[in-house]
Each structure stands twice: as C-alpha cells, then as structure tokens.
Amino acid sequence: MPDERRPRGPWNEQAFFSEAESRSAAGAVGLRLLFDEAISRAGDLDIVWGKGDVEPRFIIRQGGSSAGDLVSGWASGHVQVYVAILRNILGEEQRVLHELATALGHPDWAREPIFDAGLFEQAEVAAAMRNLLASTAGPGRSSSNRCWALFASPDTYRVEDAVREREIDTWTTAGRPMTVGDRVLVWRGKGRGDRRGIVAFGEIVEGPRGMPDHENPYWVTPPGPGDVEERVRVRYVTPPGLPLWFDEHEDVLSGLSVARARGGTVFNVTPEQWEAVVAAAGGWPQQAPRPGSAQLGSAYRPADEAKALTSRAPAEVDFEKVERGSHGHAKTQNALADFLRKHGIEPRSPCLDEPEYDLAWEMGTTTFVAEVKSITEANEERQLRLGLGQVLRYSHLLRAGGRTVAPILVAEREPQDPSWAEMCQALGVRLVWPEAFANAILEWNVTSR
C-alpha cells in the first residue's frame, strides 16, 4: 500500500496507527482523537513523525523547529506533554494548561508529563486538550470551514434510509469544533453487512447545541428521552456518483481516518481528501438558482408562548399583532416547527425582504409557506378568512421570485365548519391543524418531491 513504512524509516499515519492498534485498542482511539484535533488546525500546527523503530510517535509542533514541540502521541498508547515549552508559548494563558491538569487529576507535571491516551474518551480531558491546542494555534484557521467524516453503523442507525428520506438529520459532535458551513461525508460502517463506504455528503446548517434524539425514527434502538448530547443539524447532499464503496474505491478511501478507525463517530477530513472524494462522486451538486431569489428566510425564531397581551382602546387594536401575540398562535406555530424538525425538515422564519409569513420550509423544489391562526367558536370565521387571504398573498409574492409555492393555512384546532376544508382545497391551499400534521403535511411533502 502507498503508506507502507520501510524498516527503520520515518513513521506515517497508516503505519503508526496500525502499530498503535496492535498494542492498545483503547489507546489507539485516544491517539486518533488527538491526531485529528491537530490535523483540524493544519496551517497553525504541524504533525512531525518520529524516525526509526524506537520512535513510533507523532509530534504536534508549532513552527518549524523542535522549540515548538507541544505534545507527542506514542504508539504505546501514551501522550507526552512538553510542559516547559507550553508554558513559554502560552505566556499569560496558563489557565488552559491548568484545565488539562485538573481533568487528568492534577499530575505533577515535572514527574508525570505522560498519561494514557485512552483518557481522551473522557469528555473533560478531550475538551481540555482541544482548548490547549486552540490556544497555541494562531487565529488563521479558526474562521475557516472544516470537513468531517460522520460514522454510522447500520446495526444501530438506518443511515441509508435516513439519507434517502430526510433532507436534514441530526448528528452528535463527539465534542469536535463543528460549525455552520462545515461540510461532512457520511460513512456507513460494515456492521453485520458486507460493504462500507460513503453514502452521502452534507453541510452543517445549525450549530452545536444540547438536544435529544429519541424521536428520530431511524434509530434501531433509540436513545432515551433524557439522553441530551451536543448535536448539529446536517443537510444531506447526494451527488449521482454516491455511494462510494470501499471495495470499489479503495485508492481514494483508504487514506481516510474513518476508514481505518476501530472506534469513534467523528473524524477529521483534510482538504485534499475532501476534494478527492467529492471528485470521485462526480462533484458537489449545484442547486439551480431561482430567478431573483436567494435562500428562503432565516433560521426559525420560536414564537413567545409566554407573551402577555396588553389592554388597549378599541381604536388602537391591530388584529394581526394581537393574533401574533396570543398564546394559542405561538403554541401552534412552535408545534409545527417541532413537528418539521422531528421529520428532518428545517423550519424557516422570514427575512427582512420577504413577506411576514409565520413559518416556511422547502422540500425538493417546492417552498411551503404557512400562516397560523388561533381560533375560538366566536372568531373562527373571521380568523380563517384573515389567514386565507394572508397565505394566498404570501404565496403570490414568493412565486414572483421564481419559486414553486404551496400555501398552508394552520388552525389551532379543527374548524367546526367543514366547508372551510372544501374551499381551501378548491383554492390550492392545504388546511391543517396539529392533529392532522402527519397525514396532511408529510403526504404533501412526499408528493411534491
């Protein structure tokens, strides 16, 4: 293989991790986490490989000389911290070195600069080392988007079904510094099957935050409702050349960390590796621009369900503002947004140059725009008339920008007058309420693809 090491020659990534795995599987996983963290800061930190059979290690270095050696990872499954050099480089930022010491149980650095790499599987140790490397690296890399490999075993997650049926999915970060705009490849592990490789690309569209994932239907055994982890939302991208199976594209895929890993779920991908796999898949697909329109809306802004209405004189009443401030309106709007997210669809709120719809989303080539109305027995007729006119107006304005638009009128509950459903259908508007979200919205989304 191209990365095979010559006897007594310098080490390289493939030879080193093969050696590390033969000595300690747990240590190799920790060393991979450390290595990938350093690689993700390429341009600020370098990887230098040891030479000879007695030096199976990599060194994370700042600058071009050993005076900038920060940390070493040894194939024995150990990590060595060069404390004196770090203290000199960090200057007044000694706090990050203290954080690592605290996470490791306060070692005496003068006598204990070496620790077990398997400790990186502890979140606090991994975070402390990440902060330490970030403090020693320059700012140049931090603002650039990175590339990642996301691993899924088909024995635990039906990743191919999720890629085929969802536009947006949720993935754990494993503590890695993932940000909006980063691009990812989705790697299907072999599991009990016979194939492994890349089944999708993607782009992170919502940054990391703590969230559960127990209602995701693609888990074989879902996590518990209290299992809250740092996760990101990823919009899948599937060029026609995917999947890339390892047995058919070993020349391109064998260099990926995820292809050789024996544990872990998130791996760094270098810019060169990313370009190679995207090219092998036929290139990153370009979405045809809509005439005169940009991306739909902005990230969804939840409605305030606790907002209280103020009393005002009859002449001052703005029914639309009163409606948007009502608890029923806010609760129904947020329920729809939550429903969409659970089914891998990203809800959007209007931008300044768009009509003031309550909620919108995209599926395939269709834009869905929704107007939400709270209703009571006394105001049902007035509210639905108002909402119907608004959603038709919003649809007309969005179509003027070149979009294919499907209008949705969302009521707080099922209307008592059944003729409203008949009239909306005749006008090409879908009338829905919370109990009907599944049948009405998902059915229309599927038929619009």
Side-chain angles (χ1 to χ4, degrees), residues 61 203 380 401 403:
R61 175 176 292 175
E203 183 174 5
E380 176 179 297
R403 298 179 182 272

Side-chain angles (χ1 to χ4, degrees), residues 101-366:
T102 300
L104 292 171
H106 297 285
D108 179 354
W109 286 124
R111 292 181 295 178
E112 302 177 76
I114 297 177
F115 63 91
D116 185 349
L119 292 173
F120 281 126
E121 293 196 81
Q122 298 180 16
E124 61 272 20
V125 177
M129 179 59 77
R130 185 181 309 116
N131 292 337
L132 179 64
L133 295 181
S135 296
T136 58
R141 177 73 181 176
S142 61
S143 62
S144 301
N145 291 127
R146 297 168 177 162
C147 303
W148 308 94
L150 307 179
F151 174 90
S153 168
D155 295 343
T156 58
Y157 191 72
R158 296 187 293 110
V159 64
E160 288 178 278
D161 291 338
V163 166
R164 181 171 55 253
E165 298 170 7
R166 304 193 103 175
E167 179 183 13
I168 293 175
D169 207 354
T170 305
W171 287 82
T172 57
T173 68
R176 312 312 282 283
M178 305 169 78
T179 60
V180 172
D182 286 0
R183 291 191 170 182
V184 304
L185 63 85
V186 178
W187 183 274
R188 177 198 184 276
K190 184 178 291 187
R192 287 190 290 267
D194 58 355
R195 307 200 86 176
R196 60 192 181 108
I198 300 172
V199 295
F201 296 138
E203 183 174 5
I204 297 176
V205 296
E206 183 179 330
R209 63 182 177 89
M211 62 179 92
D213 201 36
H214 61 286
E215 294 186 335
N216 185 332
Y218 297 92
W219 285 106
V220 176
T221 302
D227 185 8
V228 177
E229 294 187 43
E230 185 180 77
R231 292 180 166 94
V232 293
R233 296 193 190 277
V234 174
R235 185 193 302 276
Y236 288 133
V237 176
T238 52
L242 291 182
L244 297 177
W245 298 118
F246 186 86
D247 57 352
E248 297 174 353
H249 300 275
E250 184 175 355
D251 57 331
V252 176
L253 304 183
S254 61
L256 296 173
S257 299
V258 67
R260 299 191 300 275
R262 297 295 184 270
T265 56
V266 182
F267 302 85
N268 182 72
V269 178
T270 68
E272 295 76 18
Q273 291 171 333
W274 177 260
E275 291 177 6
V277 296
V278 170
W284 186 271
Q286 298 296 318
Q287 193 173 27
R290 297 183 178 94
S293 68
Q295 183 184 33
L296 175 68
S298 59
Y300 177 67
R301 300 181 290 276
D304 185 356
E305 298 182 27
K307 184 176 181 180
L309 297 178
T310 58
S311 59
R312 20 180 132 188
E316 297 174 338
V317 171
D318 181 327
F319 286 106
E320 179 57 17
K321 289 183 179 179
V322 172
E323 160 65 14
R324 290 183 185 277
S326 76
H327 175 74
H329 180 282
K331 185 177 180 180
T332 304
Q333 179 178 319
N334 289 337
L336 175 56
D338 290 343
F339 174 86
L340 294 171
R341 286 197 179 108
K342 289 175 184 176
H343 291 83
I345 304 168
E346 181 187 8
R348 308 288 287 177
S349 291
C351 291
L352 292 176
D353 59 348
E354 290 181 328
E356 293 186 8
Y357 52 79
D358 287 323
L359 196 66
W361 65 94
E362 292 179 307
M363 181 64 71
T365 59
T366 302

